[in-house]
Amino acid sequence: MDTIRWIISTAPEIFLLLAVAIGTILGRMRIRGFSIGTTACILVVSVLIGQLGSFSFPALLRVILFSLFVFTIGYKSGPEFFASLSIRTLAQVVMALVLGCTGLLIVLIFAFSFGLDPGTASGLAAGALTQSSVIGTASGALTQLGLPKNVLEQQEANIAAGYAVTYVLGYILTLLFVPFVAPRLMGVNLKVEAKKLEAELSGGEPPKSENLHYRKFQARAYRVSAATGRTVKAIEDAIGSRTVIERIVRQGADIEPHLDTVLEAGDDIVMSGPTAAIVAAKPVIGSEIEADEILGAIPGNVIKVLVDNRKLHGRSIREVADRVGSDARGVFLRTLTRMGREVPLSPDTRVYVGDVMTLVGSTHNIEHAAAHVGQIVRSGDRSDIAFLTAGIAAGLLAGLVSFKVGGIALTLGGGGGALIAGLLCGWLRSRRPTMGAIPPAGQQTVSDLGLGGFIAAIGLGNGHAAWTAIQGHGALLVGMGLVVTLVPLMVATLFAYHVLRMNPVITCGALAGAMTVDAAVTGACEVAESQTPVLGVAVPYAVGNVVLTVLGPIIVACTFTG
């Protein structure tokens, strides 16, 4: 035991890294498809390890770790957040705001009714509303109050205790509420409503199995006979489905396939597009031929494009294709993913900033089309460290600004400032793709390491006090957590369905997004036997990340009595 105490006093960072590693491993474990999550596991592990001795970490370390995490949240959510401020997504924004404001109101009611201190109230909000970033913004706000060291440490321990007790409960309740309770509150069958939405998206026709019409793309060669004397445009229009004549070979020489080019008997052409359309092209063009030499000359490509063109936000795939215009000729959408989940495809499927399109087509066409949509996702991109660090520094500087309200200094704090800076930097990056690159893998690494390290420092540094608080107020926190989780979800569900008139399937996805619980979307998709709930996630997720994160300073300001 003396050896452990010596290590704790000499190199406490060893235990911080171990807590992150062990908590992450435990958080990945699934029991019947369910996992608690890495953040809660890291906190529990760090609180338990904290019983071994007295850990002390520099405040600078915690500030940097949390700033990395919250800046990344803003960076990822920035384009979606600012793009969501439009009439097309207004209902989803309002629903997320209703949920967040209801949660804040209930936390404040409990705080005043039971005399909760700022730390406990903030931990309750962080856990029950499943938003870990509240821990950091509340902690940052507390440090601005000039509290004595022992009082500040106790407040931070209370944050950790409130979060540890209520997070798992809030997470599980959200997982169950979204797919099972929300549809009952709305009086609908989620599976039936999903089928209706699929039919609506497909123009009233039964949706094609696995969206094969969109996903299967190829090129085939034909020898012109039936199409003699007709233009390229006339043939493409006759076959439909946005098929394209990529190449014309006439007596061994290439002819540029302009829309007004007239085909002659004996021409060999290459037609590309959806498989179903091309297979049916024979009566319109002529017989299919084996011509590997001319097919091989068509350079095909598949690329992923991050949608960041705000003008496309909330528009249908059909509208996007029309806006891209002639540059979309010969380019096809294979998949559309939203927050890592595939979205059902139809001409009326809505596209949002932050979605990732997988485009397929000939190389010379696909890059032109991608330029109208957003940024090509390249795995070899390096993170712009200068942009990252300068952005965080600007956010921390903004967090120093404070305003006096009734004798209480209101401030964003370092966390709030870093969040705002991240939002602006992410938005700026979407406007100027040549600057500030932080690839998705880099974002995830910075976010996970920043949050994990910060949570571990909180748990280790306040382990004894947090454990005492859990033992003293655990039962009360569980009861309050249950209310803080469920009531906002119920209010938001009823408000979205009866007041905002949102589609019930979209509402379920939006609830999961507003609570930032990704796994709840999966549950809704399983119950609906459809991917359509994913359609409602993106905008509420971006808004929820911002709204719930700023609750920390608000709760501290409202509950601090001096």
Side-chain angles (χ1 to χ4, degrees), residues 3-18:
T3 302
I4 293 177
R5 291 195 182 96
W6 175 77
I7 296 174
I8 290 173
S9 62
T10 306
E13 62 273 12
I14 293 174
F15 290 92
L16 184 146
L17 294 173
L18 281 174

Side-chain angles (χ1 to χ4, degrees), residues 13-88:
E13 62 273 12
I14 293 174
F15 290 92
L16 184 146
L17 294 173
L18 281 174
V20 173
I22 296 171
T24 300
I25 293 171
L26 293 176
R28 291 173 179 168
M29 296 175 62
R30 291 182 175 273
I31 301 175
R32 295 185 178 180
F34 172 77
S35 64
I36 296 176
T38 58
T39 305
C41 288
I42 289 172
L43 180 60
V44 171
V45 169
S46 60
V47 167
L48 293 176
I49 294 177
Q51 309 307 308
L52 297 175
S54 178
F55 290 83
S56 178
F57 298 97
L60 177 63
L61 173 65
R62 297 197 310 185
V63 169
I64 291 176
L65 287 171
F66 184 71
S67 296
L68 286 170
F69 162 65
V70 78
F71 178 88
T72 308
I73 285 181
Y75 184 90
K76 290 191 293 185
S77 302
E80 299 172 1
F81 178 77
F82 287 109
S84 68
L85 306 179
S86 68
I87 193 65
R88 290 187 297 274

Side-chain angles (χ1 to χ4, degrees), residues 15-295:
F15 290 92
L16 184 146
L17 294 173
L18 281 174
V20 173
I22 296 171
T24 300
I25 293 171
L26 293 176
R28 291 173 179 168
M29 296 175 62
R30 291 182 175 273
I31 301 175
R32 295 185 178 180
F34 172 77
S35 64
I36 296 176
T38 58
T39 305
C41 288
I42 289 172
L43 180 60
V44 171
V45 169
S46 60
V47 167
L48 293 176
I49 294 177
Q51 309 307 308
L52 297 175
S54 178
F55 290 83
S56 178
F57 298 97
L60 177 63
L61 173 65
R62 297 197 310 185
V63 169
I64 291 176
L65 287 171
F66 184 71
S67 296
L68 286 170
F69 162 65
V70 78
F71 178 88
T72 308
I73 285 181
Y75 184 90
K76 290 191 293 185
S77 302
E80 299 172 1
F81 178 77
F82 287 109
S84 68
L85 306 179
S86 68
I87 193 65
R88 290 187 297 274
T89 55
L90 182 60
Q92 296 179 31
V93 172
V94 171
M95 195 220 73
L97 290 173
V98 167
L99 189 148
C101 291
T102 304
L104 172 63
L105 179 62
I106 296 172
V107 169
L108 293 179
I109 290 173
F110 278 137
F112 293 126
S113 300
F114 293 94
L116 302 182
D117 58 82
T120 302
S122 299
L124 170 64
L129 296 175
T130 64
Q131 183 57 262
S132 305
S133 57
V134 175
I135 299 175
T137 55
S139 178
L142 285 167
T143 60
Q144 301 291 323
L145 299 177
L147 300 173
K149 182 179 179 182
N150 63 319
V151 176
L152 179 60
E153 289 177 349
Q154 183 60 58
Q155 291 295 318
E156 290 182 339
N158 291 345
I159 294 176
Y163 177 85
V165 171
T166 59
Y167 177 81
V168 175
L169 176 67
Y171 189 84
I172 293 174
L173 289 175
T174 303
L175 284 180
L176 296 174
F177 183 92
V178 171
F180 301 110
V181 180
R184 287 183 175 274
L185 278 180
M186 294 182 283
V188 301
N189 182 303
L190 196 59
K191 181 178 178 180
V192 172
E193 293 298 324
K195 295 300 181 186
K196 290 180 182 178
L197 182 57
E198 287 179 349
E200 179 183 332
L201 291 173
S202 61
E205 299 175 2
K208 295 176 174 63
S209 175
E210 295 297 318
N211 299 310
L212 293 177
H213 180 73
Y214 293 89
R215 299 189 189 187
K216 298 299 183 182
F217 167 89
Q218 63 175 246
R220 293 194 179 195
Y222 294 89
R223 180 153 294 158
V224 174
S225 58
T228 301
R230 302 179 69 180
T231 64
V232 167
K233 184 178 186 306
I235 297 302
E236 291 177 354
D237 289 344
I239 298 172
S241 299
R242 299 185 59 248
T243 50
V244 174
I245 295 178
E246 297 278 5
R247 191 182 185 195
I248 303 174
V249 178
R250 182 174 295 163
Q251 298 178 355
D254 274 291
I255 304 297
E256 192 69 25
H258 298 295
L259 291 176
D260 58 357
T261 300
V262 178
L263 300 178
E264 297 181 3
D267 286 350
D268 291 337
I269 68 170
V270 175
M271 174 74 70
S272 65
T275 302
I278 293 181
V279 169
K282 179 178 177 181
V284 179
I285 302 173
S287 59
E288 185 175 356
I289 60 174
E290 294 290 338
D292 292 340
E293 65 279 3
I294 67 171
L295 283 171

Side-chain angles (χ1 to χ4, degrees), residues 338-358:
R338 183 166 300 154
M339 301 184 62
R341 291 180 173 80
E342 202 166 301
V343 175
L345 292 179
S346 81
D348 292 319
T349 296
R350 299 285 172 179
V351 175
Y352 297 107
V353 169
D355 289 352
V356 176
M357 288 183 170
T358 301

Side-chain angles (χ1 to χ4, degrees), residues 291-359:
D292 292 340
E293 65 279 3
I294 67 171
L295 283 171
I298 303 297
N301 203 357
V302 178
I303 63 173
K304 292 186 176 181
V305 182
L306 175 67
V307 180
D308 65 12
N309 185 345
R310 185 174 176 179
K311 294 180 179 179
L312 303 182
H313 186 75
R315 298 191 178 278
S316 66
I317 291 175
R318 182 188 289 109
E319 291 174 317
V320 171
D322 290 341
R323 278 180 167 264
V324 176
S326 60
D327 283 334
R329 183 171 177 267
V331 178
F332 300 87
L333 178 63
R334 174 179 286 179
T335 60
L336 179 69
T337 57
R338 183 166 300 154
M339 301 184 62
R341 291 180 173 80
E342 202 166 301
V343 175
L345 292 179
S346 81
D348 292 319
T349 296
R350 299 285 172 179
V351 175
Y352 297 107
V353 169
D355 289 352
V356 176
M357 288 183 170
T358 301
L359 302 179

